[in-house]
Amino acid sequence: MEISEKSIVTDSEINELRAAVNWDITPGIYNRVLKGVHSYFVARDNEKLIGFVSVISDGVAEAFLVDMMVHPDYQRKGLGKELILRAVKYSKSLGVQCVHVTFNKDEEQFYRKCGFHIFSGGVIDFKTMDIET
C-alpha cells in the first residue's frame, strides 16, 4: 500500500470507491472537485484506489476534511487513520488553527482515535433536505 499527496486519480476511480463504501455515484463531479480542493491524499494497493480524503482550506484559519473513504476490504487496518493523520499534518503545515470533519455518529470513535475533539454541530444537505432559504 502507498499513500501519496495529489497523485493522479480519476473521477471514475473515486466513484468506484464511493460505490464500494455505499455512497452515491457522482459522475463527472470529481473532475471539478479536485481542481478546487487545497490538497488530497490517495491510497493505492498496486494500481487500485483503496482510500481517499481531501482538504478544503482557506490556508489561514480553518481546514475541512471531506470525502474520507477507505475500501471495505482495507478497513480496520489503520489506513483510514493514516489518511486522516496525513491530512491533519498537511493542514497544520499551512498554519491553520482548526481542522474540521463531519461524520456519522457511528464513526465518532474512529475520529476520537485520530485526535478530534467531538462537538455538536449541524448541516443543511440540499440533496436530501427541503430547506427554504
Side-chain angles (χ1 to χ4, degrees):
M1 284 188 292
E2 181 181 329
I3 298 175
S4 58
E5 181 185 357
K6 280 197 163 181
S7 64
I8 295 173
V9 63
T10 66
D11 180 84
S12 61
E13 286 181 300
I14 296 173
N15 275 296
E16 286 176 29
L17 185 55
R18 288 180 68 89
V21 298
N22 293 317
W23 288 5
D24 60 327
I25 306 303
T26 57
I29 297 296
Y30 283 91
N31 293 330
R32 292 190 340 243
V33 168
L34 295 177
K35 292 176 185 173
V37 298
H38 212 277
S39 193
Y40 60 89
F41 295 83
V42 299
R44 293 189 181 276
D45 186 358
N46 293 314
E47 296 298 315
K48 180 181 179 181
L49 181 67
I50 58 171
F52 180 86
V53 65
S54 60
V55 179
I56 299 172
S57 180
D58 60 10
V60 178
E62 300 175 296
F64 297 86
L65 306 186
V66 294
D67 289 339
M68 172 58 198
M69 299 176 267
V70 172
H71 192 283
D73 293 345
Y74 296 84
Q75 292 177 3
R76 304 200 184 287
K77 298 179 181 180
L79 179 58
K81 185 174 182 180
E82 183 61 29
L83 281 166
I84 291 294
L85 293 178
R86 293 217 189 171
V88 167
K89 183 178 180 180
Y90 169 82
S91 299
K92 185 178 181 181
S93 76
L94 296 175
V96 300
Q97 296 173 339
C98 296
V99 177
H100 304 266
V101 65
T102 303
F103 53 86
N104 294 322
K105 185 71 174 161
D106 60 332
E107 298 165 335
E108 182 175 327
Q109 288 299 3
F110 168 76
Y111 285 100
R112 281 187 191 278
K113 289 178 183 176
C114 292
F116 283 86
H117 296 272
I118 309 304
F119 299 93
S120 294
V123 65
I124 294 175
D125 183 349
F126 293 114
K127 186 172 184 174
T128 61
M129 300 168 66
D130 185 23
I131 302 294
E132 291 185 34
T133 57

